[in-house]
Amino acid sequence: MEQRVAIVTGGLRGLGRAMALGLAEAGHRVVAVGHIESDIPELNEAAAQRQLRDRIAPLVADLRDAKECDRVVADTRARFGTVDILVNNAGLTFTYIDPPRFRRPTPQRFWEVGDEIVDNVIATNYLAGDRLSRRVAPAMVAQGWGRIVNVTTKLDTMNRLGTHPYGASKAALEMATEVWAKEVEGTGLTINIVNPGAGANTLGMAEEMRQMSRDGRVSRLVEPEEMVPPLLYVVSREADGVNGMRFDANAWDAALPPAEAARKSGRSAGFVLHPQA
């Protein structure tokens, strides 16, 4: 695999950290962006254990701020010279939106969510990816190669009762992926989605759900490292013709050659409208 330069948002913990480490292990140089500075030592320790410290640069930034998005791109280019891969993974989840979600007698209704929470979720889960993508795409198109990878979610998380505004923010990113992919077709830049395909075993998942999964009372949660095989495929030269697709980690068969795993598990990004009654 050719060595590239990647930005991974939400890269200091959870899914993002696993993807940042996976990209670095594949030979890429990675700027792992997060907003919690205390997450850096754990990332550095994991990188050191894998002898990857020279390939991963942690960066603290508040991606809700457009100027911070500018800084992330500028810092990456100053450090490594370019940005070839952008993974839009940063997200605020239900542990932020509704901490007592599993202790409520009824789901939280959309009108019960405050303005600050809605603003922060939309800014983090959608606007940050939109802004960063618009800042890096022109150079990717000019050089004739690039990768933007968005992390959205399952449709039934987007439209389930009690999922506002998380579902809406991810639906926006899902539809943006479909539109962006059409607009870059044939340029060498591809835009795809890599998702867990189910709940993920990270700190963004409520502890009640993680415990139920450990007990076998609900479906198995996806481990962060499962995101790496489909991610490495979509950022590879082998996937030069793959654009506007979504790949779920829980449906990816890592025992198969990557292109075959992609053929079996991939589907188009975006939505199919409900059929007419």
Side-chain angles (χ1 to χ4, degrees), residues 77-99:
R77 287 174 173 158
R79 180 183 291 265
F80 293 128
T82 186
V83 178
D84 305 302
I85 298 166
L86 169 64
V87 181
N88 289 312
N89 166 73
L92 294 174
T93 67
F94 297 111
T95 55
Y96 168 73
I97 297 165
D98 186 17

Side-chain angles (χ1 to χ4, degrees), residues 155 159 271-277:
L155 177 59
N159 64 14
F271 305 111
V272 176
L273 294 178
H274 295 294
Q276 288 183 314

Side-chain angles (χ1 to χ4, degrees), residues 113-133:
V113 184
D115 288 345
E116 182 179 3
I117 288 176
V118 173
D119 289 348
N120 287 336
V121 170
I122 297 298
T124 304
N125 296 12
Y126 175 69
L127 288 178
D130 176 272
R131 287 168 174 156
L132 288 168
S133 297

Side-chain angles (χ1 to χ4, degrees), residues 49-69:
Q49 288 174 353
R50 304 186 196 191
Q51 298 182 324
L52 301 173
R53 283 292 290 113
D54 61 333
R55 295 185 197 161
I56 294 187
L59 179 62
V60 175
D62 183 353
L63 295 177
R64 296 172 300 176
D65 183 341
K67 292 181 180 178
E68 286 284 85
C69 294

Side-chain angles (χ1 to χ4, degrees), residues 234-255:
V234 299
V235 304
S236 70
R237 290 302 302 264
E238 187 177 12
D240 277 352
V242 178
N243 184 41
M245 299 294 290
R246 63 181 294 165
F247 301 97
D248 291 341
N250 68 341
W252 186 273
D253 186 349

Side-chain angles (χ1 to χ4, degrees), residues 1 7 10 12 37 43 50 66 89-90 138 166 174 209 256 271 275:
M1 183 175 286
I7 295 172
L12 299 183
E37 189 167 5
L43 171 65
R50 304 186 196 191
N89 166 73
Y166 181 81
E174 179 84 22
M209 181 61 77
L256 295 175
F271 305 111

